Amino acid sequence: ASGGALVYAANTGSSTFSKSASSWFQSALSVAKVNLVKLKAKVLGKKLCHYRKYPAKFVKEELEGHLRCQDIAVNSINSAVRAWDFELKNKNERYTGKPLVLAFTGPTGTGKTETSNLIAEALLQNREEIINSPRRAPVGLLKFNGGDFNDASPEKLSVYHDIIRSRLVQHLQECDGKAVVLFDEVQKVIPGTL
């Protein structure tokens, strides 16, 4: 009966009711699409790693909202993100498929890791729960810590290569190539590892 009333109200031109019904329908359709994408990803063993539609806008907002007195760095980072996004969205015969690569150097405590995390937060659209934490992490973020690759014994080098390669390949396969990879504390890595 309520379905009939909805059709009747829409057909009689009851604008208030039909607008709210239309809005409700659009909202329900949007939720259904999201759930379908999630189900498809789960069935295929994929993660929902999606870049935001306007990454440069989100990176700029995120960095300006959290970094103080770093205008030159924010502009430089945002310029690189805009160029990468432009190439990604305007694929043509010259499209190289190059990843966005940013390297931050400087003394301890200057905000390199925080800046990297802010960029990941801004670039990646979806979030997932972190076990035993109230925080949520961006889906598609893969972190390596240099402290995990600092044993200088010669036999460890090939083990490190295998670990890094397998984690990268697995992550990129799960995310259909859409990911943010953070190598933190690179100065601690033994030479030849990366």
Side-chain angles (χ1 to χ4, degrees), residues 74-111:
V74 169
N75 289 336
S76 181
I77 292 166
N78 202 50
S79 178
V81 172
R82 275 195 322 270
W84 168 76
D85 184 42
F86 179 81
E87 185 174 328
L88 195 66
K89 288 182 178 163
N90 297 291
K91 295 178 184 175
N92 58 33
E93 67 277 353
R94 294 183 299 167
Y95 176 67
T96 60
K98 290 182 198 172
L100 171 65
V101 177
L102 301 170
F104 303 115
T105 61
T108 303
T110 56

Side-chain angles (χ1 to χ4, degrees), residues 137-172:
V139 177
L141 175 62
L142 174 61
K143 288 185 180 184
F144 290 99
N145 189 301
D148 297 336
F149 305 101
N150 65 359
D151 184 347
S153 58
E155 64 274 359
K156 286 287 191 176
L157 199 56
S158 66
V159 172
Y160 292 159
H161 288 163
D162 291 343
I163 291 169
I164 292 169
R165 186 180 310 111
S166 66
R167 284 186 61 198
L168 269 172
V169 167
Q170 178 185 1
H171 190 76
L172 291 171

Side-chain angles (χ1 to χ4, degrees), residues 61-71 73-74 110 118:
E61 288 174 1
E62 191 75 18
L63 294 179
E64 286 178 346
H66 292 88
L67 298 181
R68 302 289 178 249
C69 303
Q70 296 289 341
D71 297 339
V74 169
T110 56
L118 290 170

Side-chain angles (χ1 to χ4, degrees), residues 6-7 9-25:
L6 174 63
V7 172
N11 290 338
T12 59
S14 171
S15 62
T16 305
F17 189 72
S18 63
K19 283 181 184 174
S20 65
S22 175
S23 174
W24 175 86
F25 180 75

Side-chain angles (χ1 to χ4, degrees), residues 47-51 84 88 91 124 139-141 171-181:
K47 291 183 175 184
L48 293 173
C49 309
H50 299 290
Y51 295 128
W84 168 76
L88 195 66
K91 295 178 184 175
L124 296 165
V139 177
L141 175 62
H171 190 76
L172 291 171
Q173 285 175 340
E174 289 174 348
C175 289
D176 285 331
K178 297 180 183 103
V180 173
V181 180

